[in-house]
Amino acid sequence: MRIYLQTMPEAGNEAPRFVQITLEQDLFGGWTLYRESGVQGGKTTLKREVFLERDKALDAFTKARDAQTKKGFKVMFSQGQESAHGR
């Protein structure tokens, strides 16, 4: 699952800020949540969190997405969310 969010800068000459949240299953059945953020075309930060259970990983994905939308980020692209429960 992947979701890409972005804000438009207040000043017209600044690059937009973005957040990309990705949830992937590893070969051993665990789940990894990646959170990449930064300025488009500039430096980025990547954070990784590992989960053993799918439900906890999906909950963390949802909380990360909701936290960014509350900060004013808009969803630009979403991939791999089959249903409300991600199944």
Side-chain angles (χ1 to χ4, degrees), residues 1-35:
M1 295 172 47
R2 181 169 72 117
I3 191 165
Y4 183 87
L5 304 103
Q6 186 174 322
T7 61
M8 298 314 284
E10 293 180 14
N13 59 349
E14 295 178 2
R17 296 193 52 77
F18 77 94
V19 174
Q20 180 170 253
I21 306 167
T22 307
L23 183 62
E24 296 179 349
Q25 187 174 22
D26 64 24
L27 295 174
F28 303 107
W31 294 85
T32 306
L33 179 68
Y34 298 96
R35 287 179 271 188

Side-chain angles (χ1 to χ4, degrees), residues 6 9 22 34 44 46-47 54 56 64 69-70 74 83:
Q6 186 174 322
T22 307
Y34 298 96
T44 63
L46 179 64
K47 295 180 182 180
R54 183 175 191 266
K56 289 183 180 181
T69 57
K70 286 181 182 177
K74 304 288 184 206
S83 71

